[in-house]
């Protein structure tokens, strides 16, 4: 199970996509949620996705980052506790070092936000056989094993295939929703718009 997001600051909301896929990337199901950019609802958005499409045979929940959409966050430990599935959070570039400074400057509730971000814990650096660096936080699974699981799912570069697919879908969904909103249209299940 892979969860990724797509957002632009000016949109105000981030589109979250969950993809249930096999290790080889074959997609079995998809779910969507939204969270506020700069909000505090990232964990709940991820939980809505898991509640919609998580199955018993899923062995790992992969997150494309824990600090998301302008300092919103996804609490991997809370998801692990709630759904009883190992959770791993992956970052594929060197983490930026000024999170604390930025959060203090941008948010009046900075103390609570920083506490939530600190509870995520420091990432563990994992090197793939091809020399890619992955920064891993994990709950219910050793970070090195979580790194190995990510590597086992890689087909194109350093991102596990389920996360790569989730990111692509999230980006497309965000663009679609923005076009619909700009055009003043709303989607309805019958296929017509108003």
């Amino acid at each position: 199970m892979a969860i990724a997001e797509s957002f632009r600051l000016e949109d105000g909301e981030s589109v979250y996509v969950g993809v249930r896929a096999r290790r080889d990337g074959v997609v079995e199901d998809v779910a969507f949620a939204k969270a506020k950019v700069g909000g505090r609802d990232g964990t709940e958005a991820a939980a809505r996705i898991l509640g919609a499409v998580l199955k018993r045979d899923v062995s790992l929940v992969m997150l494309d980052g824990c600090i998301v959409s302008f300092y919103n966050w996804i609490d991997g430990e809370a998801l692990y506790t709630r759904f009883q599935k190992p959770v791993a959070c992956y970052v594929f570039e060197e983490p930026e070092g000024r999170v604390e400074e930025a959060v203090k400057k941008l948010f009046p509730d900075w103390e609570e936000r920083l506490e939530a971000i600190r509870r995520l814990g420091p990432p563990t650096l994992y090197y793939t056989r091809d020399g890619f660096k992955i920064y891993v936080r994990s709950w219910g699974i050793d970070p090195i094993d979580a790194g190995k699981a990510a590597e086992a799912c890689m087909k194109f570069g350093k991102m596990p295939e389920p996360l790569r697919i989730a990111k692509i879908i999230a980006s497309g969904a965000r663009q679609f929703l923005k076009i619909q909103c700009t055009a003043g249209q709303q989607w309805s299940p019958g296929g017509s718009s108003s």
Side-chain angles (χ1 to χ4, degrees), residues 68-132:
V68 294
S69 44
F70 197 59
Y71 304 108
N72 202 329
W73 66 91
I74 301 174
D75 184 338
E77 184 174 16
L79 295 178
Y80 169 63
T81 300
R82 183 168 170 182
F83 293 98
Q84 295 297 298
K85 295 288 183 182
V87 176
C89 168
Y90 302 97
V91 177
F92 301 96
E93 297 171 3
E94 186 124 8
E96 296 177 21
R98 295 199 131 91
V99 171
E100 186 169 329
E101 185 180 312
V103 170
K104 283 181 178 179
K105 182 179 177 182
L106 294 167
F107 300 100
D109 63 346
W110 64 268
E111 290 172 322
E112 293 170 35
R113 285 175 183 271
L114 284 180
E115 179 58 31
I117 290 169
R118 285 184 191 119
R119 278 196 312 266
L120 298 172
T124 298
L125 180 57
Y126 176 83
Y127 286 94
T128 69
R129 288 184 300 270
D130 293 333
F132 294 125

Side-chain angles (χ1 to χ4, degrees), residues 1-4 19 62-65 90 92 159-168:
M1 186 78 213
I3 298 175
V19 169
M62 298 178 150
L63 305 175
D64 183 30
Y90 302 97
F92 301 96
M159 185 172 284
E161 192 64 5
L163 280 178
R164 190 182 78 78
I165 292 167
K167 280 182 77 79
I168 290 168

